[in-house]
Amino acid sequence: EDQVSSYHPPLFEEALDFLRKKPCILIIDNKPGTAIDLVLQQITQSKVENQAVLICYSLKDAEYVYQQKPNLMLALGFNQEAQIAAIEKSIIPKDQLIALTPREIQPTSYYERIHALGISCSLGTNGNIDTLPLADSKAPYWECFRAGADIICTDRPVEVARIFGTN
């Protein structure tokens, strides 16, 4: 049934303030069209640079962020071989990057190329494996890990943690 909640999502500043007080990491999705400088300003004011990872949608944006905040972790799409080649030449230290890889499992060699740069690979399972019944999803989650995913981005974190025995 349609019901209006009395709860409202927190403001960005409030979410960052909450983050600062907790032992956690916040992945900030800087959608295209969002003013990067304002996001960086708020991250700085909230003093959460060491607890944040900023998702950028282009290598140009990621390099700009790196020049402004050289210690901030960045996540960037690694969807094609050409993107990997461009990132190989980038000024961004590779240990400050997380590769956002395609949702479809890629050949192991794809992840090996990214790992050879010292970059961790993230694979999203929302919209695909996450839609399967849990009993049917165990093998596909393990397949993601065996193929080369270091981080599984899921809508079912508790269940996936149990599959990997990490809860």
Side-chain angles (χ1 to χ4, degrees), residues 24-94:
C24 59
I25 295 173
L26 180 65
I27 309 296
I28 302 168
D29 193 348
N30 194 74
K31 296 287 188 192
T34 304
I36 292 176
D37 288 319
L38 293 177
V39 173
L40 295 177
Q41 179 183 10
Q42 195 61 59
I43 290 170
T44 301
Q45 287 175 355
S46 298
K47 298 180 175 138
V48 295
E49 292 98 337
N50 294 328
Q51 291 177 268
V53 177
L54 186 66
I55 297 174
C56 296
Y57 283 81
S58 72
L59 181 56
K60 179 182 173 186
D61 284 349
E63 288 176 336
Y64 174 79
V65 170
Y66 170 70
Q67 290 171 336
Q68 303 305 309
K69 291 283 171 202
N71 294 322
L72 188 63
M73 286 292 296
L74 302 171
L76 185 61
F78 281 60
N79 297 317
Q80 302 167 352
E81 293 287 333
Q83 287 174 309
I84 298 172
I87 291 165
E88 285 175 326
K89 299 173 188 168
S90 173
I91 62 169
I92 303 169
K94 306 312 177 256

Side-chain angles (χ1 to χ4, degrees), residues 2-163:
D2 291 344
Q3 295 181 358
V4 176
S5 171
S6 62
Y7 297 99
H8 300 281
L11 297 173
F12 186 51
E13 176 182 338
E14 294 169 336
L16 294 178
D17 185 51
F18 175 82
L19 169 67
R20 188 172 33 82
K21 299 172 185 173
K22 303 292 181 188
C24 59
I25 295 173
L26 180 65
I27 309 296
I28 302 168
D29 193 348
N30 194 74
K31 296 287 188 192
T34 304
I36 292 176
D37 288 319
L38 293 177
V39 173
L40 295 177
Q41 179 183 10
Q42 195 61 59
I43 290 170
T44 301
Q45 287 175 355
S46 298
K47 298 180 175 138
V48 295
E49 292 98 337
N50 294 328
Q51 291 177 268
V53 177
L54 186 66
I55 297 174
C56 296
Y57 283 81
S58 72
L59 181 56
K60 179 182 173 186
D61 284 349
E63 288 176 336
Y64 174 79
V65 170
Y66 170 70
Q67 290 171 336
Q68 303 305 309
K69 291 283 171 202
N71 294 322
L72 188 63
M73 286 292 296
L74 302 171
L76 185 61
F78 281 60
N79 297 317
Q80 302 167 352
E81 293 287 333
Q83 287 174 309
I84 298 172
I87 291 165
E88 285 175 326
K89 299 173 188 168
S90 173
I91 62 169
I92 303 169
K94 306 312 177 256
D95 62 351
Q96 286 182 232
L97 284 173
I98 296 172
L100 303 175
T101 63
R103 286 186 188 181
E104 300 78 27
I105 296 175
Q106 303 298 303
T108 303
S109 60
Y110 185 84
Y111 301 103
E112 287 172 348
R113 181 173 178 194
I114 296 169
H115 285 142
L117 297 171
I119 300 172
S120 296
C121 295
S122 170
L123 191 149
T125 58
N126 55 327
N128 55 26
I129 299 172
D130 286 354
T131 64
L132 299 173
L134 192 58
D136 298 337
S137 64
K138 290 180 183 180
Y141 285 124
W142 273 104
E143 186 180 346
C144 293
F145 176 71
R146 281 192 213 91
D150 303 298
I151 302 165
I152 296 178
C153 298
T154 178
D155 290 333
R156 306 191 296 197
V158 173
E159 294 87 350
V160 172
R162 286 188 187 126
I163 289 170

